[in-house]
Amino acid sequence: MEHGQAAVGTRSRWYDGLTAMHWRVLRASFLGWIFDGYEALALVVVLGPMLHSVLSPAQAASPTIYAGLVIGITLLGWGAGGLIGGILADYVGRKRMMLWSVFLYAVLSGLTAFSQTFWTLCALRFLTGLAMGSEWSTGIALLSETWPEQARAKGAGFLQSGFGWGTLIAAVVWYALSSTHPLGAETWRLMFVLGALPAFFVLYIRRGVNESEKWQRAVREKRWSATNAQPGADAAQAAGKRPFTLAQLFSEREALRRTLILLVLSIVTTVGWWAISSWLPTFTVALAKAEGLPDALSWGSKVSISYTVGAIVAYLLAGFIVDAIGRRAFLSLTFVGSLLTTFITYRLTSSVEAMMIVAPINGFFTLGCAYVWMAIYPCELFNVTVRSTAISFVFNAARLIAWVFPIVAGSMIKSFGGVSQAALALGSVYLIGIVLPWFLPETRGSGMPD
């Protein structure tokens, strides 16, 4: 009897059934997302010295304009590349797109180190974003189609944490480089040389990861419908040419409804996160200066790291929480937490000491929970032959809207009357996110649609 009880207890563990191949898929996708996180923050932390090197004397008279341009152009490339790569992954396979995405953005990141003019820098940043944009959606699709049901949400959360770890690595590397200045004023170039290292990772992916069998089988059987809401669509479509996956998201009624709701939720996440995270260091530095603290600028970096640590904790826990309370409740409570912590951060926090406590809680909701749902939930709402297209569209279409924010940031702060007021105004978008999830189907325990 005791042996039987022990066996039942053993079978109830979430990681039962995971094989070496499952863990290799996670490691491959996780490491790729670490490199993305590193690349994203590397651009931000070296922005000052980088612009000092590449701007002409005339351009240097307006540094904020060019800072916004280079960040915005990178985001534009990232969004466009993610959308294109996600679509291609539904045609040529998840593994192949991961290989090309990682390899190309690694090479282009390395070439960024040799930029001599601002416009060369922008071109390379756009191409780097274009290349690395699809790494996330292909990794998520591959993991979701290979991991068993009881572990899938946890694995997706672990994968998503790679971005947070990547930003932390970038922060630590830049701290070390900026403290030692091995190349003097040109030390920033080393950050992008290190960004080229993922090229070696391509060899690991090729050797250690298999293609998604579910995707291969669905393509062979010509199962083209976007959702399970139209069970007869496959038979009708199999006789003709395969529909364009992106068009399917808007031509099938239920797919359209799900796509639009998820897109609005993604925009809510992106707009809220952009306002909270990008202005948090500036707001914290202002608090430090008001308190008369020495080295006030250092508090901006400290609070960014604290904020990111909170997000990493959310990534690691999210899969367990979402399996316990359901997808819709998780989403709704995420935006409740985001709204409350944003109000606490920008209205009730008046010292850097308090901010160091509040920031990780804010990061837990506005960066961690607010993004990890995209790695778990949309995969469960679309069939396998359009899955990569759907999740990449939901994730990247919001970026194609948000890329203008860095360019107009200064004007927005001025219009709202300060950083605090601007953050609170944009943070009110979380109200939409509290309500919308309840118009989507609950998928907890229902498995992945084929």
Side-chain angles (χ1 to χ4, degrees):
M1 183 69 177
E2 291 180 358
H3 176 76
Q5 290 175 339
V8 171
T10 301
R11 286 196 299 270
S12 67
R13 295 178 302 189
W14 69 268
Y15 51 82
D16 281 351
L18 292 179
T19 66
M21 178 56 67
H22 292 129
W23 291 112
R24 282 199 295 271
V25 168
L26 175 60
R27 283 196 298 270
S29 304
F30 173 79
L31 289 172
W33 199 223
I34 279 184
F35 296 135
D36 277 24
Y38 174 92
E39 181 72 22
L41 189 66
L43 176 65
V44 175
V45 297
V46 306
L47 198 56
M50 180 178 67
L51 291 179
H52 181 75
S53 292
V54 301
L55 291 182
S56 67
Q59 292 170 332
S62 306
T64 55
I65 293 176
Y66 292 97
L69 272 174
V70 72
I71 294 175
I73 286 171
T74 302
L75 289 175
L76 178 61
W78 203 342
L83 183 56
I84 294 169
I87 294 171
L88 287 175
D90 277 331
Y91 288 91
V92 304
R94 284 73 166 111
K95 177 181 174 179
R96 186 177 298 177
M97 279 310 303
M98 286 178 68
L99 289 168
W100 280 107
S101 176
V102 174
F103 176 74
L104 288 176
Y105 93 67
V107 171
L108 291 164
S109 175
L111 290 176
T112 299
F114 300 98
S115 300
Q116 298 299 320
T117 68
F118 176 76
W119 296 114
T120 300
L121 174 69
C122 284
L124 286 168
R125 287 291 83 201
F126 177 79
L127 292 173
T128 302
L130 201 65
M132 75 179 179
S134 64
E135 200 287 323
W136 178 85
S137 59
T138 53
I140 289 294
L142 187 60
L143 184 141
S144 69
E145 291 164 9
T146 55
W147 272 49
E149 177 64 23
Q150 80 278 3
R152 180 169 44 77
K154 286 87 166 176
F158 297 157
L159 190 164
Q160 191 72 17
S161 73
F163 190 88
W165 290 113
T167 59
L168 281 180
I169 291 171
V172 171
V173 170
W174 179 241
Y175 178 80
L177 290 175
S178 61
S179 299
T180 56
H181 294 289
L183 297 183
E186 304 301 313
T187 296
W188 65 271
R189 298 180 186 276
L190 290 176
M191 286 292 286
F192 295 106
V193 171
L194 293 173
L197 292 178
F200 299 104
F201 177 55
V202 173
L203 300 176
Y204 169 82
I205 297 178
R206 181 172 295 169
R207 184 182 70 250
V209 175
N210 295 332
E211 183 56 85
S212 166
E213 293 183 5
K214 289 185 177 181
W215 171 79
Q216 292 175 318
R217 184 168 59 251
V219 171
R220 285 196 303 268
E221 296 174 1
K222 297 183 178 181
R223 290 188 270 112
W224 306 136
S225 62
T227 71
N228 286 339
Q230 292 182 275
D234 282 333
Q237 292 173 349
K241 186 178 179 181
R242 179 179 182 178
F244 180 45
T245 54
L246 185 60
Q248 282 182 267
L249 301 183
F250 299 93
S251 61
E252 297 182 22
R253 183 175 179 179
E254 179 60 19
L256 173 63
R257 192 182 73 85
R258 296 180 184 185
T259 299
L260 292 180
I261 293 175
L262 290 170
L263 175 60
V264 173
L265 288 170
S266 180
I267 292 172
V268 167
T269 289
T270 303
V271 171
W273 170 80
W274 180 86
I276 304 316
S277 69
S278 65
W279 291 337
L280 190 60
T282 301
F283 184 65
T284 305
V285 169
L287 291 178
K289 289 180 177 178
E291 292 182 73
L293 298 177
D295 195 15
L297 291 176
S298 68
W299 286 99
S301 298
K302 292 175 183 177
V303 81
S304 293
I305 293 173
S306 177
Y307 177 85
T308 304
V309 168
I312 291 174
V313 173
Y315 294 143
L316 297 176
L317 295 179
F320 298 90
I321 299 172
V322 79
D323 278 343
I325 68 174
R327 279 55 172 157
R328 296 182 300 181
F330 177 84
L331 259 172
S332 189
L333 290 175
T334 287
F335 292 121
V336 169
S338 297
L339 186 65
L340 291 177
T341 55
T342 297
F343 179 79
I344 293 170
T345 300
Y346 285 99
R347 182 54 60 87
L348 304 181
T349 305
S350 57
S351 69
V352 292
E353 292 81 4
M355 183 62 79
M356 292 299 291
I357 297 173
V358 171
I361 302 173
N362 192 309
F364 182 91
F365 288 104
T366 62
L367 176 56
C369 295
Y371 270 100
V372 75
W373 68 267
M374 286 189 252
I376 299 171
Y377 194 23
C379 291
E380 302 171 344
L381 296 173
F382 296 93
N383 290 343
V384 64
T385 53
V386 302
R387 180 168 293 134
S388 182
T389 299
I391 61 179
S392 66
F393 178 81
V394 168
F395 189 57
N396 290 291
R399 283 178 173 175
L400 293 175
I401 295 171
W403 75 276
V404 300
F405 280 112
I407 299 174
V408 301
S411 300
M412 292 175 65
I413 293 172
K414 184 177 180 180
S415 299
F416 284 111
V419 170
S420 178
Q421 292 85 347
L424 287 170
L426 289 179
S428 63
V429 74
Y430 288 129
L431 289 169
I432 300 173
I434 295 171
V435 177
L436 271 187
W438 302 102
F439 292 90
L440 290 167
E442 178 58 63
T443 56
R444 179 177 59 159
S446 60
M448 291 284 288
D450 290 330

